[in-house]
Amino acid sequence: MVNAPGSATTRTYAMGRQADRPTSPGSLEAALGLALVAAEGTRGVLGLLRRHSPEEVWAAGRRDLLEWTEGRPWVDRFIDLRSRTFPREASSAVAAAGLVFIPWGSAGYEADLLALDLPPAGLFVKATPDAFDQFSVGARVAVVGTRKASDYGLRVARAIGRAFAERGVWVVSGLALGIDGRAHRGCLEAGGRSAAVLGCGADVIYPRRHRELYERVSSEGVILSELPPGVRPAPWSFPERNRLLAAISHAVVVVEAPRRSGALITAHRALDLGREVFAVPGRVQESVNEGSNRLLYDGATMCLDPASLVEDFLRFTRKETSPFLSGVRDHGSADSGESGLEQAGRLAVMALSAGPCSVDAVAGVAGITSREASAALGLLELRGQVVRVSPGTYGLSER
Amino acid sequence: MAAVRAYALIGTGAVGVQVEAHVRPGLPGVSVVGLPGVAVREARERVRSGAASTGLPLPTQRITVNLSPADVKKEGPGFDLPVALAVLAASGYMGTGALQGVGAMGELALDGRVRPIHGMLSMAEAARDEGLRLLVVPLVGLAEACAVDGVHAVGVRDLREAVMLLRDAEKCDRFLERGRRWLRARKNVVTIDRGPDLADIAGQRHAKRALEVAAAGGHHLMMVGPPGAGKTMLARRLPSVLPLLDAGEALEVTRVWSVAGLHRAEAGLATQRPFRAPHNSASRAAIIGGGSPPRPGEASLAHRGVLFMDEFPEFGRDVIESLRQPLEEGLVVISRKAGSLTLPAAFTLVGAMNPCPCGNLMHPERVCRCTADMLDRYRGRLSGAVGDRIDLFIDVPPLELSAFESSGGLDDDSAVVRARVESARSYRLEREAFLGTPPPGSESGSTVGQSHPARLEARLGLSESARSLLREAISRHVVGGRGYVRALTVARTLADLDCVAGISAEHVAEALSLRDPGYEYRGASSAAVSW
Ligand SMILES: Nc1ncnc2c1ncn2[C@@H]1O[C@H](COP(=O)(O)OP(=O)(O)OP(=O)(O)O)[C@@H](O)[C@H]1O
Ligand SMILES: [Mg+2]
Ligand SMILES: [Zn+2]
């Protein structure tokens, strides 16, 4: 079965955003084709996306390619792979894997990705449209660190995840064991939203020990990768993933990173992009802290404690207004029993049991404000428990 | 020959007109050429007698006055003063250079006094843009002309003063100084009147809250209630809770009002937001503007203020339909022979209506005698493009006794409510600045429906519980597509009033209570009129 181009794959994502960069079916296919070919080994071709659109690259002749790349050796290999790649068929495989492809230049494609040496041809995303929309407008921080973390590191990572979650900041990490996983968990525990950037296909669960975490992040948050579905992790894919992690986040927090670690690569890529880098101080003479302490020595901002880290993040990234986004979470609705609204509704019903009256009269009898009364009556009317018996006068419904 | 600048009004703007006078031997008389309107042709008589009573009789020669460019229609008595000055200069009462770089405006009385005219603000702006050396204006209109930065205006009481100051630079300085003193003195006596205050209204807290919401979010509002419930009284107080006019808005309002001849010239700039309440028999032209010369209609006079339409369904269908453009774009376009004219018309619409034509629908004791057809026609005025843009509907019940037993102290007065409105508006701006430029035509106001729902919800910060309540409203068919967007936008305004990022379930519930309950009336009406 062959899908109509882009039908399942673009779905509702990215609608209405950045209308000046429309995505035609042709450019969607070209971007998908490039993503597939790049994953086969000619990643260099992505460098062309800084100057050319996927459509141009996908259609380019050998002469142009040689000229644009100043005669890179992979050009012929690319042409060969290109002739054997059929993006239209692949697009149904993407949909079958439960993924959505966000192509280069479409509205969901973060403009900062174009600042990378090798901009991805697109992102494969596993998320609800809703979550992805919120992700793309939200404040996002990467929290990264070593897989072989100390107890202290794990504790701090979790606290940091929670602290960001409480301010509505998306916690982005790599779903790895150790610090990554703990940061995701801390965030989710606090009711926040988390995103994972993978070094394998977005449908591939790696490490397997994080299956349950993967499920939670994909159902409540966003999982993304530039690699096509089914691609297994490879040693080269993690550094590449790290650059994506840096580009998609507004700042990077490093918790416990040895010298020569993925977390440090993420931090340096973030610095290249002009992002703020934060680091959690660790004990000296312990190899697990060598990289992160070095960052501090070189001028990264120190995490004094999780709360002030969040404040600094909001200030530095000028996301200080991010409470604008934190409202997507509810405060004490589920566990605190009756909500204020329901309570007002109950009082309003009691007030109306004496006979129909106006909003203001309901407020007076129930001892609530007029606006609480109108909210309560709005709810009760919606549920059919009260009706308007005459203009401005509510009464209990007969039913 | 002598020439001076004058200004012709086109809509709320003005364009420069060159007034040239030429004196030559021939049959004594004054002729005006160059598309003069009736009032401008009559200027001849006022100029002649004004000059004579000033002691500067016109020569018994042939005087031709030419107004150019010839294709601009020149209307109104404002050309009297410039015509007189050009004629007097051509007759040798002033040196040749006296009118160099000078503009003038004003009507002449037969005794030579100079009176204020319509549209002085717009004319002064045009003079400023032309970089005139001096603008001679009626002294009473000096405050209005001087509201324009960078205009060198001098006020005169009569034609004699105008001639004196143009002849003699020293005199000119004295008149300029007099003008400055005059403006300073005025400043101390002008009191800013904010109009009627919310504190005058007993009870009606629900309706007052709706006014606050309308002001904070720029929503249009419909009030449904029986006669005498206080709808007019409430609507009249909406301007008092809107933010004060800022400098730019004050210019806009003054321009329109001045052109319409409704602005008191000595008042300088407008300080109050307009409140206009046209009668339901008003014609389309009276609301939208038009005529020759074109006059701003009620929609433009309500610019930056409130247009109140009492007995909304009684307005003509064409009148209601014609509001579509101002509600969508904040302006009206009047088409005329000489091209179309755009006038500003950004207002908050407040409508008032009875539940049915006879007013007794659903009344506990009285009987409604309206037929189902009548009801449909009545409510039908609310459907369509204009009704769809009214976000807020409230019932205004008759005053209750309990309103006087003020529970919990006095209600907030307009200043307090206005402060909340202002903070909500600045919170909204801050939030929007943080979120960056929305996709074209999203969120704010009427075009909100063009955003994808999920995107809109994320952008507006809808919380989970709020979302599920809204979903429930949709699934119970309490709101449809448009109603969904309206409820969402109103809920956002409620959250802005609380200065919180997230829209809570309370906000959504309150927004739902502020929606059009029309369908329920209709459901009930079939029983009421079953006879
Ligand atoms: N809540 C109130 N507080 C103080 N005075 C009130 C109140 N309600 C009504 N009034 C008095 O009743 C008069 C009638 O009110 P208003 O003209 O605003 O009613 P309306 O709803 O516009 O009526 P209609 O439908 O006849 O136009 C007001 O001038 C005012 O004196
Ligand atoms: Mg009235
Ligand atoms: Zn009736």
Side-chain angles (χ1 to χ4, degrees), chain B residues 198-205 208 223-237 308 310-311 352-354 396-400 403-404:
Chain B
L198 219 49
D200 305 338
I201 302 179
Q204 301 291 15
R205 293 198 178 137
K208 289 178 190 166
M223 295 187 283
V224 184
K231 303 183 293 288
T232 307
M233 194 180 186
L234 282 159
R236 209 165 257 298
R237 281 154 182 79
F308 177 54
D310 208 354
E311 294 297 342
M353 60 187 282
N354 284 316
V396 183
L399 189 59
E400 286 161 340
F404 295 108

